[in-house]
Amino acid sequence: MEKEEGYLMTLINSLKYSFYVIFHPFKGFWDLKHERKGTVKSAGVLLALLIVVFTLRRQTAGFIFNYQTIQKTNIISEVLNIIIPVFLWCMANFAITTLMDGKGTLSDIFIITLYALVPLILVQIPVWAISHMITLDEKDLIYLIDAISILWSAFLLFIGLKSIHEFSALKTLITVAIAIVGMVVISFFALLFFSLIQQLYNFLLLVYMDIRM
């Protein structure tokens, strides 16, 4: 029982530390790696929160801003639309930075990525509430809040990558650009692979049906 409570307190403290990181990124990200202030479990919780708040906003935002219909919504697709880009980013960044002598591990990249996305998580509930109170003419307010949270998260991600890999600012920007290209390449080959698998399955199914007949 005490051991479980210890794990729970560690998780809670790691999540609370995310608030420190978003306001003190330079020291915060350094401590995430070197002082082990963040954990993979806490990053996993942040990923789950990211999925929940984005799905909530997409499904139940004010009708002016809600282009989704619950009847046509696929929850699995909503979840994968967040999980897949996050893991593609982590894999691509790890592959590139390993080749360029980066010091961060795959778990380090996963942790700092989710901690950097905390501003995106935090603004979703206020934006969801505002979407029910404003008119279409005031929609720029939501777009402004979204833009601020995206820029804030992008800045945090840049500082986090720079800290864990111990790169210069220019080298960090280069690795980010290459990682984004890597994500596109990985996505292309993944789609090609699944397309070939589907065609092979359809061919084998057709052969089987012909043999049966």
Side-chain angles (χ1 to χ4, degrees), residues 157-207:
L157 184 59
F158 173 78
I159 298 301
L161 293 172
K162 184 176 181 297
S163 298
I164 66 167
H165 293 305
E166 299 179 21
F167 285 164
S168 65
L170 178 60
K171 194 172 183 180
T172 303
L173 286 174
I174 292 172
T175 56
V176 168
I178 297 174
I180 292 173
V181 174
M183 291 174 65
V184 175
V185 172
I186 293 172
S187 299
F188 171 77
F189 281 108
L191 290 173
L192 181 62
F193 174 76
F194 286 116
S195 177
L196 291 173
I197 292 295
Q198 185 177 19
Q199 291 180 24
L200 178 61
Y201 170 77
N202 291 335
F203 172 74
L204 294 175
L205 182 61
L206 182 61
V207 171

Side-chain angles (χ1 to χ4, degrees), residues 1 13-14 27-28 38-40 44 55 94 96 98 102 127 140 151-152 160 174 184 201 203 209:
M1 187 67 178
N13 290 333
S14 296
K27 187 177 187 305
T39 64
V40 173
T55 302
F94 177 68
I96 297 303
T98 298
V127 165
D140 289 341
L151 291 174
W152 191 359
I174 292 172
V184 175
Y201 170 77
F203 172 74
M209 295 299 294

Side-chain angles (χ1 to χ4, degrees), residues 55-67 127-129 131-132 142:
T55 302
L56 176 66
R57 176 177 169 180
R58 285 171 62 86
Q59 299 305 314
T60 62
F63 71 93
I64 296 176
F65 305 94
N66 190 357
Y67 305 102
V127 165
W128 171 81
S131 71
H132 289 273
I142 285 183

Side-chain angles (χ1 to χ4, degrees), residues 50 54 57 113 115-124 127 142-158:
L50 185 68
F54 266 91
R57 176 177 169 180
T113 297
Y115 274 71
L117 295 179
V118 167
L120 283 178
I121 298 173
L122 294 178
V123 304
Q124 296 311 308
V127 165
I142 285 183
Y143 296 149
L144 176 62
I145 297 174
D146 281 337
I148 292 173
S149 65
I150 291 170
L151 291 174
W152 191 359
S153 287
F155 171 73
L156 292 173
L157 184 59
F158 173 78

Side-chain angles (χ1 to χ4, degrees), residues 7-25:
Y7 282 135
L8 181 60
M9 287 304 301
T10 299
L11 179 61
I12 292 173
N13 290 333
S14 296
L15 291 172
K16 287 169 61 177
Y17 194 73
S18 65
F19 292 97
Y20 178 85
V21 171
I22 63 176
F23 293 109
H24 305 86

